[in-house]
């Protein structure tokens, strides 16, 4: 007999990490230098209990998806495609980055991950990972989920959380 409480599950593991390089732009004319973080993701799913197995979602499946999402941006230079101050262009085997019209970096294309976000802040990374997770859950036919909460930590004690109600 189900109670009146609500359930949610969370996953954060040693392999839900991505070690990536990035820099962000600030308001005004300030742009960080290139540096890296050992990012860690934590995800929470809220929803109804599955009627026959009594869980919100399969942990094994969730870990598998999250590992895949983290691996796709692990050991990469994360570059935002939607930043009006940055021009990120693929030129042959390279990616060139200009900041406010001035050439700034040239990277090997294989080392870059070009992302559909305006700035590589942990907030935007959390939202992007949520969108990608949501698409995977939809394609798996997951049902009964009511919210996804994604936490991305870039340093000990320093993280952003994005939450979307489904
Ligand atoms: Zn940083």
């Amino acid at each position: 007999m189900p109670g009146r409480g609500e359930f949610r599950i969370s996953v954060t593991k040693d392999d839900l990490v991505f070690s990536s390089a990035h820099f962000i732009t600030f308001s005004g004319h300030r742009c960080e230098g290139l540096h890296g973080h050992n990012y860690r993701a934590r995800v929470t799913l809220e929803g109804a209990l599955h009627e026959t197995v009594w869980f919100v979602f399969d942990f094994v499946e969730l870990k598998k998806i999250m590992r895949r999402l983290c691996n796709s941006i692990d050991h990469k230079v994360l570059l935002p495609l939607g930043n009006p101050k940055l021009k990120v262009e693929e030129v042959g085997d390279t990616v060139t980055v200009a900041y406010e019209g001035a050439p700034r970096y040239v990277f090997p294309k294989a080392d870059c991950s070009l992302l559909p976000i305006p700035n590589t802040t942990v907030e935007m990374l959390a939202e992007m990972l949520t969108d990608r997770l949501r698409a995977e859950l939809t394609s798996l036919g997951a049902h009964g989920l009511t919210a996804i909460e994604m936490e991305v930590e870039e340093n000990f004690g320093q993280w952003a959380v994005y939450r979307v109600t489904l």
Side-chain angles (χ1 to χ4, degrees):
M1 186 72 180
R4 278 188 299 256
E6 293 170 346
F7 292 95
R8 63 175 169 219
I9 60 165
S10 294
V11 165
T12 183
K13 292 280 173 185
D14 289 347
D15 58 358
L16 296 188
V17 296
F18 48 103
S19 302
S20 312
H22 88 141
F23 60 91
I24 67 169
T25 62
F26 293 89
S27 52
H29 297 286
R30 198 154 79 82
C31 180
E32 281 187 317
L34 187 68
H35 62 281
H37 295 286
N38 292 315
Y39 293 95
R40 179 197 284 266
R42 174 195 176 96
V43 64
T44 298
L45 297 182
E46 295 178 18
L49 285 183
H50 191 288
E51 58 274 14
T52 52
V53 289
W54 305 95
F55 63 41
V56 174
F57 194 75
D58 184 353
F59 276 120
V60 174
E61 205 59 54
L62 182 57
K63 285 187 284 188
K64 212 187 290 176
I65 298 169
M66 286 302 298
R67 267 198 298 273
R68 194 161 59 233
L69 294 181
C70 289
N71 287 343
S72 72
I73 51 176
D74 186 32
H75 290 182
K76 300 282 186 191
V77 181
L78 307 181
L79 295 167
L81 290 174
N83 189 313
K85 293 177 182 174
L86 296 174
K87 192 169 181 192
V88 177
E89 273 186 312
E90 296 185 43
V91 182
D93 291 338
T94 66
V95 172
T96 63
V97 181
Y99 173 68
E100 293 192 325
R104 195 174 178 97
Y105 297 112
V106 180
F107 299 110
K109 195 153 110 181
D111 293 344
C112 295
S113 188
L114 308 188
L115 307 174
I117 56 179
N119 215 2
T120 54
T121 59
V122 269
E123 288 87 341
M124 291 299 96
L125 294 175
E127 184 181 16
M128 183 194 77
L129 288 172
T130 302
D131 289 346
R132 291 180 175 185
L133 172 62
R134 186 178 185 170
E136 296 250 7
L137 292 171
T138 302
S139 75
L140 278 175
H143 59 95
L145 297 175
T146 55
I148 300 174
E149 196 172 279
M150 186 73 70
E151 190 177 300
V152 178
E153 183 185 80
E154 67 172 12
N155 272 318
F156 293 115
Q158 184 172 323
W159 65 87
V161 182
Y162 177 69
R163 178 189 167 85
V164 65
T165 304
L166 302 177

